[in-house]
Amino acid sequence: MRENGFLTTFRLEGALAVAFGIALVATLAALFIGEVLGQMPCTLCWYQRIAMFPLVPILGIGALRGDTGVRIYALPLALAGLALALWHSGLYAGLIPAAIAPCTASGSSCTDQAQLVLGLPLPHLSTIAFAAVLADLKLLKVSRA
């Protein structure tokens, strides 16, 4: 049974809006932690920010225009960010045998208790955010078919 066009459009725009919201919250949280709390990000956190920050305008413009084709532009960034976040989480959890370098000589490290948000370390939260954006982008593909 085929859904009518309104429900399909509503579902597509909803998935796009949710992906935008996740990217926006993740970006604002990263900026708050760095700029307001003064906790400098480590190298892997910087690389994840490089992947997350552009998702805000890309997904935001796509959501405003109702353009689900934005998936093509967002997908590589979200996949790269997820790969980095998984690597970072593996380092944090000790699954990858290498130490996480402190963010700065005088700053906190990703292994510091001060880096926990809602009881979760930042690398895990980044993994969750990128995975959620990718799940929403996947919905855009499934719903278009």
Side-chain angles (χ1 to χ4, degrees), residues 22-72:
I22 292 166
L24 180 63
V25 168
T27 296
L28 292 176
L31 290 172
F32 180 81
I33 289 167
E35 300 301 320
V36 176
L37 299 180
Q39 297 178 0
M40 295 302 298
C42 69
T43 303
L44 287 173
C45 287
W46 270 119
Y47 293 150
Q48 290 165 67
R49 287 177 179 201
I50 290 168
M52 183 62 77
F53 287 7
L55 287 174
V56 176
I58 290 169
L59 294 171
I61 291 168
L64 284 174
R65 296 189 58 187
D67 181 9
T68 59
V70 75
R71 177 182 180 274
I72 295 168

Side-chain angles (χ1 to χ4, degrees), residues 10-135:
F10 182 74
R11 189 171 290 149
L12 290 173
E13 289 176 359
L16 195 51
V18 168
F20 165 70
I22 292 166
L24 180 63
V25 168
T27 296
L28 292 176
L31 290 172
F32 180 81
I33 289 167
E35 300 301 320
V36 176
L37 299 180
Q39 297 178 0
M40 295 302 298
C42 69
T43 303
L44 287 173
C45 287
W46 270 119
Y47 293 150
Q48 290 165 67
R49 287 177 179 201
I50 290 168
M52 183 62 77
F53 287 7
L55 287 174
V56 176
I58 290 169
L59 294 171
I61 291 168
L64 284 174
R65 296 189 58 187
D67 181 9
T68 59
V70 75
R71 177 182 180 274
I72 295 168
Y73 307 110
L75 195 58
L77 289 167
L79 285 170
L82 180 62
L84 288 163
L86 286 169
W87 179 263
H88 201 178
S89 292
L91 287 171
Y92 181 88
L95 300 174
I96 299 170
I100 297 176
C103 298
T104 63
S106 61
S108 58
S109 167
C110 292
T111 60
D112 189 0
Q113 289 295 326
Q115 293 283 1
L116 296 178
V117 177
L118 302 173
L120 293 171
L122 293 179
H124 294 352
L125 288 172
S126 181
T127 301
I128 292 167
F130 280 113
V133 167
L134 280 168

